[in-house]
Amino acid sequence: MKLSIYGKGCKKCDQLTANAQEAAEALGLRVEIEKVTDVNAIIDAGVMNTPALAVDGEVVTEGKVASAQELEKLLKG
């Protein structure tokens, strides 16, 4: 499973990355986490508000730092 974190590398992006890692570990998932900071790549992904998280290329959260618990629910489904 590939998780992509879209953002400019701010504290919110770092927190979203940490929460995604925590959620994946809690579920026992093996994930690859990619940080996307290039503005053009962010726009190409259709992201309008950062930070955002995509799971296997599909944006699932945008414009907020989802908690590890919220992300667990998203990763289960």
Side-chain angles (χ1 to χ4, degrees):
M1 180 180 291
K2 183 176 183 179
L3 305 180
S4 301
I5 308 291
Y6 294 94
K8 297 175 187 167
C10 63
K11 287 184 180 186
K12 288 182 179 182
C13 298
D14 292 340
Q15 185 61 56
L16 182 58
T17 301
N19 291 354
Q21 183 67 46
E22 181 182 332
E25 287 175 8
L27 295 171
L29 298 174
R30 293 171 52 165
V31 296
E32 172 191 348
I33 296 182
E34 165 191 42
K35 290 187 178 184
V36 180
T37 58
D38 180 68
V39 174
N40 290 325
I42 293 170
I43 292 169
D44 288 345
V47 173
M48 302 303 265
N49 298 299
T50 60
L53 171 71
V55 177
D56 293 329
E58 181 182 340
V59 177
V60 294
T61 67
E62 188 175 343
K64 70 173 192 167
V65 178
S67 70
Q69 292 78 20
E70 289 175 290
L71 295 175
E72 278 184 48
K73 290 177 186 173
L74 287 171
L75 295 176
K76 278 182 190 177

